[in-house]
Amino acid sequence: MKALIFIAHGSKKELSNNEFKSMVENIRSKDKKYDFIESSFLEIALPSIEDSTKKLIEKGVKEISFYPFFLNSGKHVAIDIPNIIKKLQKQYPNISFSPLEHFGKSRYIEDIILKDIS
């Protein structure tokens, strides 16, 4: 079984966190590739990346991909998230962890913006 964990920064504002969770739920309902899709937060909000990972492993998942929902490749994308994934790999050596490119690297963003402003 394989899973995908979306990672957002996390906010003190519950509305922001709920918008992200709702987006992930919508993706989950339409996706055909993954057995499980979960949301997680780097900081401030829950569930944490570690909690979402543990939940999936307890369900028997052996492959987990991580999708950082960040626009730019700042410290969180370049350092913090990779460090968390490295720690998880040490903690769960029999699980395959795969970081995906962050949202801002998507080749479709410019098309979305062009549609929004047209």
Side-chain angles (χ1 to χ4, degrees), residues 7-110:
I7 305 167
H9 184 275
S11 174
K12 293 178 185 175
K13 295 186 178 190
E14 203 57 33
L15 175 61
S16 176
N17 298 329
N18 287 338
E19 287 172 346
F20 173 70
K21 289 178 182 179
S22 178
M23 179 198 72
V24 173
E25 287 174 17
N26 289 337
I27 292 169
R28 181 187 304 125
S29 72
K30 297 172 185 173
D31 176 73
K32 306 278 189 261
K33 181 178 178 181
Y34 294 95
D35 298 300
F36 299 98
I37 296 178
E38 296 290 333
S39 57
S40 69
F41 298 96
L42 182 61
E43 54 190 29
I44 302 171
L46 296 173
S48 68
I49 299 166
E50 296 87 349
D51 290 344
S52 292
T53 300
K54 182 179 178 186
K55 176 182 174 182
L56 291 168
I57 291 170
E58 288 173 351
K59 290 181 178 185
V61 171
K62 299 295 183 195
E63 298 176 36
I64 301 176
S65 296
F66 298 90
Y67 189 96
F69 192 67
F70 288 75
L71 195 53
N72 301 103
S73 57
K75 180 180 179 284
H76 291 320
V77 169
I79 297 170
D80 297 336
I81 293 171
N83 284 341
I84 290 170
I85 295 171
K86 285 178 191 171
K87 287 179 187 174
L88 288 168
Q89 188 66 74
K90 287 180 184 175
Q91 186 176 357
Y92 303 104
N94 297 325
I95 306 299
S96 172
F97 294 107
S98 303
L100 303 175
E101 290 279 3
H102 64 283
F103 172 72
K105 291 289 278 189
S106 173
R107 64 179 189 240
Y108 302 107
I109 290 177
E110 293 167 6

